[in-house]
Amino acid sequence: MAVFNPFLPSFQADPYPQYAALRAADPVHFSLALQAWVLTAYEECALVLRDDETFSSSSNTASGQLAEVLQQQRREFPLGETPTVLNSDPPTHTRLRTLLNRAFTPRAIEGLRPRIEEIAASLLADIDASNGRFDIATGFAQPLPIIVIAELLGVPPEDRDRFKRWSVAIARTTDVLNTPAILDAAREATRELIAYMDAVVAERRRAPGADILTALAAAEEEGERLSHDELLAFSILLLLAGHETTTNLIGNGLLALAARPELVARLRAEPSLLPSAVEELLRYDSSVQGVVRFARQRTELGDRTIEQGAALLPMVGAANRDPAQFSTPDELDLERSPNRHLAFGRGIHFCLGAPLARLEGEVAFRALLKRFPQPRIAEDGVDRSGTLLLRGVGRLELEVG
């Protein structure tokens, strides 16, 4: 009988063998421990992600014991019941997404390239490699995205460490089991972040700047604007989604590349491969391993009946290794084409920040391989981090010389 056990230490180290076993035996699997359907095949994951009429992103549509827990958590969290593009359905989602799109245009994102290159170069120049061993996660992968997001929000440099602390505390709530201590820490971080951003938003309304908060405060579509609470909720979402996922992309990607010196050499010789390489790194070891959806109505999925209100976990990390969709899925192919991975989702909830994440990834790996042409992972130099839904590297020590 197929079993999904994300509590094993081996799962955090490498979830892909367990994904493969479950996908082969029971790709639409009901987990008693999680009280949710765990999906590991590309076909079902893609279907659930794009069918927003059958599968909701709002826990308000859930039922049963899990629904009670989720809805109580939302009620207890500051701004927990304020809709965002992540946890809402049309027409609310349509209104929010339309307004946010006005600030996240491709031209605006590409305009950030020179500044992101400057930040990456500065961080790498500050790394002390004199003793031949250093942590690239804390020195580069973690601060790069937090600086970018902080500058997008107009946050001064001296407050970046606070943003990092808040982000880590909130991200921990995406784990399988949220203990009272984890939830209390996340609620406190959220309250502190809201108080901070409340003052920032008020200042932007008084004195507009060149940051994204100013653009969002001014964004209007057919008489609609983001409410004050919606603007604050989006700031929290941007901090979490824009920081944690890109940090994980850089850490996971560098770990994968460092184990393959021949691919590092090729990327250095052919930098034009970087955009394709970023897509493959996103597929190979996805920053976002899974998302949550809820059945709006009784439906069939695979050979299973999904009851109305049931929770589903499309595990995109598993889908991105499905041999039915990707040839040699456990190999890193920098020229993989087509590469229709699900790392950014699918359908109306396709990641709003995907262009920014791709840009940061490309800039980061270009700068890293220029500064450290032959990155080598130090012995016992890796600590995995993350939750059931997020996968990353907390410590990644490199050796040079």
Side-chain angles (χ1 to χ4, degrees), residues 41 54 81 137 159 198-199 212 221 229 259 275 313-314 324 332 346 378 383:
T54 305
E81 297 189 275
D159 290 336
D198 194 48
I212 197 169
E221 185 77 17
D229 281 357
L313 298 175
L332 196 62
R346 184 66 61 83
D383 284 337

Side-chain angles (χ1 to χ4, degrees), residues 186-199:
R187 281 190 285 264
E188 180 59 25
T190 303
R191 281 190 287 268
E192 291 179 9
L193 179 55
I194 288 171
Y196 181 94
M197 293 308 303
D198 194 48

Side-chain angles (χ1 to χ4, degrees), residues 285-352:
D285 199 7
S286 306
S287 302
V288 176
Q289 288 283 297
V291 297
V292 184
R293 294 291 187 269
F294 305 93
R296 293 177 183 267
Q297 60 203 36
R298 193 171 190 264
T299 189
E300 303 295 318
L301 192 62
D303 60 354
R304 304 290 184 172
T305 298
I306 312 297
E307 297 296 338
Q308 181 179 0
L312 302 97
L313 298 175
M315 302 304 293
V316 298
N320 286 341
R321 294 283 192 102
D322 188 345
Q325 176 68 21
F326 303 98
S327 62
T328 59
D330 295 323
E331 293 183 11
L332 196 62
D333 180 358
L334 301 185
E335 293 185 279
R336 186 178 295 275
S337 181
N339 191 354
R340 290 176 55 79
H341 62 76
L342 301 178
F344 291 125
R346 184 66 61 83
I348 65 169
H349 287 279
F350 185 84
C351 178
L352 181 70

Side-chain angles (χ1 to χ4, degrees), residues 24-332:
D26 192 12
V28 182
H29 171 76
F30 187 75
S31 167
L32 290 173
L34 301 179
Q35 287 295 295
W37 291 94
V38 178
L39 315 180
T40 49
Y42 184 96
E43 181 180 359
E44 282 82 19
C45 286
L47 186 154
V48 169
L49 291 175
R50 68 172 178 263
D51 185 0
D52 59 280
E53 293 186 359
T54 305
F55 302 101
S56 169
S57 295
S58 172
S59 62
N60 289 333
T61 60
S63 63
Q65 183 179 358
L66 178 63
E68 293 176 7
V69 173
L70 293 173
Q71 289 163 13
Q72 181 179 354
Q73 287 183 8
R74 286 188 65 179
R75 287 192 298 270
E76 292 177 351
F77 257 78
L79 297 180
E81 297 189 275
T82 301
T84 69
V85 287
L86 191 65
N87 64 16
S88 63
D89 301 315
T92 299
H93 176 272
T94 306
R95 178 181 68 84
L96 293 174
R97 182 83 183 214
T98 300
L99 288 167
L100 294 173
N101 281 341
R102 296 175 66 86
F104 278 84
T105 65
R107 182 177 179 180
I109 297 302
E110 182 57 31
L112 298 173
R113 181 184 292 271
R115 177 56 184 149
I116 297 174
E117 290 174 340
E118 182 181 343
I119 296 168
S122 176
L123 288 170
L124 290 172
D126 287 343
I127 287 178
D128 181 5
S130 58
N131 66 358
R133 180 168 174 152
F134 57 92
D135 184 2
I136 197 71
T138 57
F140 183 76
Q142 293 172 12
L144 175 64
I146 204 74
I147 292 172
V148 172
I149 293 300
E151 291 192 358
L152 280 175
L153 293 172
V155 172
E158 59 268 22
D159 290 336
R160 291 170 187 163
D161 287 345
R162 298 166 70 188
F163 265 58
K164 170 64 179 174
R165 177 171 57 82
W166 291 331
S167 177
V168 169
I170 297 169
R172 291 185 68 192
T173 62
T174 61
D175 213 339
V176 181
L177 293 176
N178 291 322
T179 65
I182 289 175
L183 292 173
D184 287 345
R187 281 190 285 264
E188 180 59 25
T190 303
R191 281 190 287 268
E192 291 179 9
L193 179 55
I194 288 171
Y196 181 94
M197 293 308 303
D198 194 48
V200 175
V201 169
E203 175 63 19
R204 292 302 176 277
R205 291 191 187 280
R206 187 188 67 80
D211 53 81
I212 197 169
L213 277 185
T214 297
L216 290 175
E220 189 167 358
E221 185 77 17
E222 298 181 358
E224 290 278 4
R225 286 196 177 198
L226 292 173
S227 71
H228 186 72
D229 281 357
E230 287 170 345
L231 195 54
L232 291 175
F234 177 72
S235 299
I236 296 171
L237 176 60
L238 181 62
L239 171 63
L240 178 61
H243 164 229
E244 293 292 333
T245 55
T246 307
T247 287
N248 293 348
L249 163 61
I250 298 170
N252 294 346
L254 184 57
L255 185 58
L257 285 173
R260 298 163 178 81
E262 73 283 1
L263 296 185
V264 171
R266 187 171 182 203
L267 271 179
R268 292 181 58 238
E270 301 177 60
S272 61
L273 279 178
L274 273 168
S276 174
V278 168
E279 296 302 314
E280 177 66 347
L281 292 169
L282 285 161
R283 180 203 69 84
Y284 181 78
D285 199 7
S286 306
S287 302
V288 176
Q289 288 283 297
V291 297
V292 184
R293 294 291 187 269
F294 305 93
R296 293 177 183 267
Q297 60 203 36
R298 193 171 190 264
T299 189
E300 303 295 318
L301 192 62
D303 60 354
R304 304 290 184 172
T305 298
I306 312 297
E307 297 296 338
Q308 181 179 0
L312 302 97
L313 298 175
M315 302 304 293
V316 298
N320 286 341
R321 294 283 192 102
D322 188 345
Q325 176 68 21
F326 303 98
S327 62
T328 59
D330 295 323
E331 293 183 11
L332 196 62

